[in-house]
Amino acid sequence: MIDFMSSRVEIDLVKLGNNVEVLLNLYGSKNIGIMGVTKVVCGIPEIAQVLVNKGIRILADSKIGNLRNMRNAKIKAEFILLKTPSLSEVDQVIKYADISINTEISVIKSLSAAAVKNGFPHKIILMVDLGDLREGILPADIDGFIEEVLQLPGIAIVGIGANFACLGGVKPTEDKMSTLSLLADHIEEEFNFPLAYISGGNSANYNWFMASEDIGTINNIRIGESIFLGCETLGRTRIPNLFTNVFTFVAEVIESKIKGSLPDGDRGQNAFGISPEFHDRGQIRRVILGVGCQDVLVSGLTPRLDIDILGSSSDHIIIDAKRMELKVGDEVEFDLNYGALLSVMTSPNVDKKYIRSSKLDNQTEQDVFKKL
């Protein structure tokens, strides 16, 4: 068992709770509910509990193991598997997910058989492809698809959804949202059953939401990044009143020396099969942090000090400390983008430290955001 790790991610649960409250109030102002997406934080119960405590009632994750861990931790929420199930995991889906998103009739048939066998009726949301080209049923095929599903015992269609800005970067525009709304209206009229969830997208929907005077029938958004990193995801612009520093990555200095900035000798590829470029900075304070690419997506880190990341290997991040007098044992803090957050939360080599007491208690909200 590892007793000490030279890197950690600090998670401010008070700032996290603030972000949840702000977003629930924001989207709730137009009667849009939020599914809290926990996949980037691996469904860690300490984090999931904050989301639930602040009012989120539905937690969505793409990993069965994360859903299982949250259930075993007695998190009081409804759980959604946020990817099309694999045929090999349908029994686990029935056991740990109240709802799953689906796009393949063969998978839904297997879910039906597992639901009947286990005596657990299962709810599904059908995902339609509106252009981003990740998962989804084509709108032209939706009627025939639903007709087949309605013949299957143990399965209930409770919603439709669409995904944006994940694979193709396609924006959830007014036109796309109108198409989804009209499709939902058609399904309800054609098949004579209500859709509890008309899920219009994710954290990329913020700009559409703010600009739209008529949101149609959209009543749900699946949100992860806005909750955890405080931004929308088309341009990574901060959303007002959200904290962007809920998570802090901390790494320890293991070497600090004045060295040249150019390698000396004949050069080939580095450890990752790349021929890196170097620029002559003269003699610099070259600092090594005891963490590397196997622990964090280094390209997704932004130092909070005035330093530059020069490169990385499996176990090291090399920085130009510039005017910072960093010495061995010092710690360096970083902000993380989504990819970096995903990597540190899934790494067993990065410790997770939860901050439950906040410095916000005696500050006004205005004062707090001035300091961000």
Side-chain angles (χ1 to χ4, degrees):
M1 178 179 178
I2 299 175
D3 295 320
F4 177 78
M5 301 178 186
S6 63
S7 62
R8 67 183 182 277
V9 58
E10 296 180 349
I11 306 154
D12 191 318
L13 299 181
V14 177
K15 290 180 180 179
L16 175 62
N18 170 85
N19 286 4
V20 174
E21 287 182 337
V22 170
L23 289 168
L24 281 171
N25 290 330
L26 176 68
Y27 285 103
S29 68
K30 295 183 182 178
N31 297 314
I32 291 181
I34 291 177
M35 294 177 184
V37 179
T38 57
K39 61 183 180 180
V40 74
V41 294
C42 297
I44 290 176
E46 288 87 346
I47 295 175
Q49 189 63 63
V50 173
L51 272 58
V52 172
N53 287 349
K54 292 299 181 178
I56 288 179
R57 298 291 173 255
I58 304 170
L59 298 177
D61 206 293
S62 58
K63 303 296 184 187
I64 290 289
N66 294 345
L67 297 181
R68 180 184 63 241
N69 291 342
M70 288 188 285
R71 277 200 182 278
N72 289 344
K74 309 300 182 184
I75 303 296
K76 303 299 183 184
E78 192 167 27
F79 294 102
I80 295 183
L81 179 65
L82 202 60
K83 73 173 180 64
T84 302
S86 303
L87 284 172
S88 59
E89 64 184 5
V90 292
D91 285 315
Q92 297 296 300
V93 174
I94 297 299
K95 184 174 182 180
Y96 294 113
D98 301 292
I99 305 172
S100 61
I101 70 167
N102 282 269
T103 62
E104 287 289 343
I105 195 67
S106 60
V107 173
I108 301 173
K109 287 180 178 179
S110 291
L111 287 170
S112 169
V116 171
K117 179 182 70 175
N118 291 287
F120 295 139
H122 188 67
K123 294 177 283 189
I124 63 173
I125 293 173
L126 300 179
M127 298 297 287
V128 293
D129 190 340
L130 295 183
D132 197 57
L133 292 179
R134 203 179 73 174
E135 79 275 44
I137 305 159
L138 294 174
D141 298 332
I142 196 70
D143 282 7
F145 196 97
I146 290 175
E147 287 173 358
E148 276 199 79
V149 174
L150 291 178
Q151 304 305 311
L152 300 174
I155 297 294
I157 300 172
V158 296
I160 64 167
N163 189 61
F164 297 97
C166 275
L167 181 65
V170 172
K171 297 179 179 180
T173 59
E174 193 77 26
D175 180 62
K176 296 291 186 183
M177 292 296 98
S178 177
T179 298
L180 185 61
S181 287
L182 290 172
L183 186 59
D185 288 340
H186 165 75
I187 291 170
E188 290 185 329
E189 183 177 347
E190 179 72 18
F191 295 99
N192 195 32
F193 63 81
L195 295 170
Y197 305 104
I198 303 169
S199 191
N202 49 45
S203 295
N205 283 67
Y206 172 77
N207 293 330
W208 159 79
F209 173 85
M210 295 301 291
S212 180
E213 295 182 1
D214 181 7
I215 62 168
T217 59
I218 307 301
N219 64 9
N220 177 265
I221 299 287
R222 311 174 304 276
I223 293 185
E225 188 163 350
S226 291
I227 291 174
F228 299 120
L229 296 179
C231 63
E232 53 79 35
T233 58
L234 295 179
R236 261 68 192 189
T237 300
R238 175 178 167 252
I239 295 174
N241 296 330
L242 296 189
F243 289 102
T244 59
N245 58 352
V246 172
F247 295 85
T248 301
F249 182 67
V250 183
E252 185 178 341
V253 174
I254 62 172
E255 180 180 299
S256 178
K257 298 183 184 301
I258 302 298
K259 293 184 179 182
S261 51
L262 294 175
D264 181 13
D266 294 335
R267 295 172 53 211
Q269 295 180 349
N270 67 12
F272 297 99
I274 299 170
S275 298
E277 294 184 5
F278 294 87
H279 301 284
D280 191 354
R281 297 175 177 229
Q283 293 291 106
I284 61 173
R285 178 160 293 282
R286 200 173 178 90
V287 169
I288 299 178
L289 306 178
V291 64
C293 297
Q294 67 173 334
D295 310 303
V296 62
L297 180 67
V298 178
S299 62
L301 295 176
T302 301
R304 292 182 180 170
L305 293 174
D306 182 21
I307 58 179
D308 292 334
I309 297 175
L310 299 178
S312 59
S313 64
S314 299
D315 314 292
H316 305 83
I317 295 175
I318 296 86
I319 62 176
D320 177 356
K322 299 165 78 172
R323 297 175 181 175
M324 299 292 114
E325 292 293 330
L326 294 174
K327 61 184 183 299
V328 172
D330 285 347
E331 293 184 330
V332 180
E333 295 183 347
F334 298 86
D335 290 309
L336 308 94
N337 69 9
Y338 190 83
L341 179 60
L342 179 68
S343 63
V344 298
M345 296 307 290
T346 55
S347 174
N349 301 313
V350 176
D351 196 14
K352 282 72 179 175
K353 179 181 178 181
Y354 302 100
I355 300 172
R356 292 180 169 84
S357 59
S358 175
K359 298 177 182 178
L360 312 182
D361 297 340
N362 297 318
Q363 295 175 299
T364 66
E365 184 177 271
Q366 186 177 8
D367 289 336
V368 170
F369 289 113
K370 280 181 180 177
K371 295 185 177 183
L372 289 182

